[in-house]
Structure formats: C-alpha cells, structure tokens
Amino acid sequence: MQRKKRTDTWMLLTENFNDQLYPMSDSNKSMTNKICVISGATSGIGKETAKALALKGAHVVVVGRNMKRCARTVKTIKKKTGNTNVDYLCADLSDLSQVRDLAKQLKQDYPRIDVLINNAGAFYDPRLETADGYEMTLALNYLSPFLLTTLLIDSLKASEQGRIVNVASSSHYVGKINFEDIQYTKNYHAIPVYAQSKLALVLFTKELAERLKDTKITVNTLCPGLVATNFRKNNGWLRFYVRKFVKKELTAVEGSQTMIYLATSPEVAGITGDYFEKEKQKKSSDLSYDKELAKKLWEVGEPMIKEFMTDS
Ligand SMILES: NC(=O)c1ccc[n+]([C@@H]2O[C@H](COP(=O)([O-])OP(=O)(O)OC[C@H]3O[C@@H](n4cnc5c(N)ncnc54)[C@H](OP(=O)(O)O)[C@@H]3O)[C@@H](O)[C@H]2O)c1
C-alpha cells in the first residue's frame, strides 16, 4: 500500500519535472474549435493522443474512471500545451449505466462532438464480471463503445464532419465470435476473449459505417502496435511473454500516431469502415469482412445495451 503511494508521488514529481524540461509546441492548430472526446485518456496512448489534440488547438474532453488521475492528466496537458480548453468527465466504462450517464453529461455540456475516440480497453485474467453481470472484457472493449457511440450519434451528426475512432488490436486477426457462449462462462482464456472483443469492435466499426453511409460521419478502427503502456503492466504474465519475444515495444507517443492521424488528418475525411496500422489502411481479418457476421453480432450486442439506451 505504502509502495503504491510512493509510486504515485514519484510519477507526479517526474511528470511535473518533465513539464518544465520539455514544454511542447505545434504550430499546426488545425483542430481549433473542434471538440474531441477521448476515453482512456489518463494513461498510455490515450493520454498522448489527448495531448497531441490539445496541441493542435482542440477542445479536449478526457474521459477516465479515476477522478484524481483525470484531474492530474488535465493539469499536465494544460501545462504542457498551453491549451486551457481541456476538461474531464469520470466514468467506469465497464458499467453501462455509467456510460449512459456519461453520454447524458456530454450532450448537456457540449453543443456537438467532432471526434469521439473509443480508446479505453483492457485484458482480464482471470474472468471478471461487471456491475451489470457481463463478462468484463466484452463489456469494456465492445459493449461500452457500442453504447457510448450510439448515444452520441446526434452530437456527431451536429459536426461538419464527425469522426469516430475505435481502438482495436491486431489480435482481432485471431479472434472468433463465440456465439454459443459470448461471455465465456465456460472455458475462459484471456487471449481468445480479448481477441473476440477486438474482432467485435472491428465488426462494429464496419457495420456502423454501413449504417451511417448517408451521413458525413466516418468511423474507422486501428491497432496502435505493441506499445509499452500500463496495458501489460497490469498483467504480469503477458508482460513477461511480450518482453521475452518482442524485441522492441513502441513508446506511447509512437503508438498514438495512427489514432491522431485518424482523428485529425484531412486525408481520411472521406474514408469510413476501414482498419489502419502505422497510419495506413490495412486489410483486416477475413472474418471482419463477413457482413452477415457483423449483422448477427449487432443483433446479439444490441439487446445487451438496450436497457441503457434511454434515461433511467
Ligand atoms: N499497449 C498495447 O500494446 C496495445 C496493443 C493493441 C491494442 N491496444 C489497445 O489500446 C488501448 C489503450 O491501451 P494502452 O496501451 O494505452 O493501455 P493503458 O495505459 O492501460 O491505458 C488504458 C486506459 O483505459 C482506461 N480504462 C481501463 N479500464 C477502464 C474502465 N473500466 N473505465 C474507464 N477507463 C478505463 C485506463 O484508465 P486508468 O488510467 O484509470 O487505468 C487508461 O486510461 C486499449 O483499447 C488497448 O486494448 C494496446
């Protein structure tokens, strides 16, 4: 307990120290007046993306589950970028009633949303269940972005060209949708469960793009690469294997580049329903192009979020 406290204090001290050493600048203010909401922005690639968007002049809304971490992140971003239009909202995104309340608050506070980045995600071993009784990986990595995006569609429609960016993973290539037991109540293994959740997010992206084809909203998905963040720190054995077999992990700044590209670049203004790696379109898994599978998954996912689609 004491040790954890010391680590937090140390992080705070080094962050402030680095702020003074490395003030940031970006002469490209292309995102001025754009409202960008990013989940999981208190750490890793989400935090770096939030920083980059603020540097480009955007009004950034950091979404995190821990108020102290949110406040600390906002303070750091403001200080590093000189942009004071950085706010935060707190929600545990694995809890769908909190996702609903978050959407309600966002609709109240902001006239429109120009960019929604569904970045929060995690890997769970052993199996956990959410407050709603759903398997945690599926809930956080798939049901939560499904619900948040659905609730914010009108806010995105109010933008000149709304963008949705879903952070998936190359693990989707080995993913399958286990319709017989989508919540893995039996034979739980963290890797196929994580891969399933990220394939579900890619399928959701493609199906949503189809459903939004008559609007100006685009929706794309990506893998950031293997990035040294808290993602593996929270899972000792995964970290051990990655360290053993992967020569070089990307830094969080490197890993955030494709997300920043999809959120900001004029090059992708007309591209929707695609998967990206290293700032380039890439063919996603064969299964992800199966339109019947995407529809079937939507029909399984929708009833799971339905009760949270209207105000309580
Ligand atoms: N790192 C990689 O190699 C890698 C590879 C492929 C895909 N990805 C994907 O990239 C995304 C970002 O991960 P990262 O590598 O930056 O990891 P990270 O450093 O662990 O960041 C994850 C972020 O999500 C937040 N989060 C986790 N559970 C949450 C919950 N229940 N409610 C609200 N927020 C929650 C975390 O909040 P706290 O700060 O409070 O923990 C943190 O801000 C994830 O979707 C991950 O699946 C990562």
Side-chain angles (χ1 to χ4, degrees):
M1 196 63 179
Q2 254 191 348
R3 226 182 122 144
K4 192 168 185 301
K5 230 176 164 181
R6 268 188 57 189
T7 311
D8 276 356
T9 314
W10 175 245
M11 277 170 59
L12 198 61
L13 284 172
T14 51
E15 256 177 15
N16 289 338
F17 181 62
N18 287 338
D19 287 349
Q20 283 154 20
L21 278 181
Y22 307 113
M24 300 169 85
S25 70
D26 184 345
S27 57
N28 171 358
K29 299 287 179 211
S30 59
M31 295 301 281
T32 302
N33 295 328
K34 304 257 189 224
I35 300 170
C36 303
V37 176
I38 172 160
S39 73
T42 49
S43 150
I45 57 175
K47 188 172 174 181
E48 291 307 325
T49 302
K51 224 182 274 170
L53 293 172
L55 264 185
K56 290 179 187 296
H59 186 142
V60 178
V61 185
V62 163
V63 175
R65 60 181 158 174
N66 177 293
M67 199 175 287
K68 269 194 189 161
R69 276 200 288 277
C70 283
R72 191 198 298 163
T73 302
V74 166
K75 191 175 166 202
T76 305
I77 295 176
K78 283 183 176 173
K79 199 169 168 191
K80 280 200 174 184
T81 65
N83 184 341
T84 52
N85 287 325
V86 186
D87 308 325
Y88 73 83
L89 284 172
C90 267
D92 180 335
L93 298 172
S94 69
D95 179 341
L96 297 182
S97 54
Q98 292 195 34
V99 176
R100 177 193 55 209
D101 295 347
L102 168 71
K104 193 174 168 191
Q105 195 64 51
L106 283 165
K107 284 195 273 191
Q108 261 173 34
D109 294 353
Y110 303 97
R112 57 166 205 286
I113 293 171
D114 298 291
V115 179
L116 169 66
I117 306 181
N118 291 308
N119 164 69
F123 173 98
Y124 293 97
D125 194 16
R127 185 179 189 276
L128 294 174
E129 283 190 0
T130 67
D132 311 305
Y134 294 138
E135 188 283 311
M136 187 71 82
T137 325
L138 189 78
L140 180 65
N141 297 358
Y142 168 60
L143 295 175
S144 162
F146 189 170
L147 178 61
L148 187 62
T149 307
T150 306
L151 292 172
L152 294 177
I153 283 297
D154 286 342
S155 304
L156 286 148
K157 279 186 183 159
S159 166
E160 217 171 282
Q161 197 266 291
R163 294 186 185 196
I164 302 160
V165 179
N166 292 327
V167 180
S169 159
S170 58
S171 70
H172 88 274
Y173 283 105
V174 294
K176 290 189 177 65
I177 308 294
N178 180 10
F179 285 112
E180 283 70 43
D181 185 17
I182 200 162
Q183 301 197 54
Y184 278 87
T185 56
K186 294 177 242 90
N187 303 319
Y188 185 90
H189 292 287
I191 289 179
V193 169
Y194 179 74
Q196 167 182 266
S197 73
K198 292 301 189 180
L199 172 62
L201 192 59
V202 177
L203 286 162
F204 167 66
T205 303
K206 289 181 184 291
E207 176 66 19
L208 184 63
E210 191 60 34
R211 290 175 186 235
L212 292 175
K213 66 174 185 237
D214 296 329
T215 74
K216 288 183 189 149
I217 303 173
T218 59
V219 49
N220 290 294
T221 184
L222 68 116
C223 174
L226 271 175
V227 196
T229 61
N230 287 342
F231 182 75
R232 270 180 289 285
K233 270 191 210 148
N234 296 335
N235 289 283
W237 66 265
L238 189 61
R239 188 184 187 194
F240 172 80
Y241 280 106
V242 169
R243 288 242 164 114
K244 194 167 162 69
F245 296 111
V246 177
K247 288 218 167 62
K248 191 181 175 299
E249 287 178 282
L250 301 175
T251 63
V253 171
E254 290 166 337
S256 62
Q257 294 309 305
T258 304
M259 214 192 314
I260 298 165
Y261 174 72
L262 287 175
T264 64
S265 173
E267 283 173 18
V268 288
I271 298 176
T272 191
D274 269 344
Y275 172 78
F276 287 72
E277 285 185 13
K278 297 182 186 159
E279 296 167 65
K280 293 208 163 47
Q281 277 156 290
K282 188 176 172 191
K283 188 178 175 298
S284 46
S285 73
D286 289 346
L287 269 184
S288 74
Y289 291 91
D290 183 335
K291 292 188 175 175
E292 288 312 307
L293 181 69
K295 281 198 177 62
K296 186 173 171 189
L297 177 66
W298 189 288
E299 281 157 18
V300 169
E302 198 171 39
M304 295 172 87
I305 60 168
K306 195 134 199 140
E307 69 169 292
F308 306 97
M309 282 171 47
T310 48
D311 286 348
S312 53

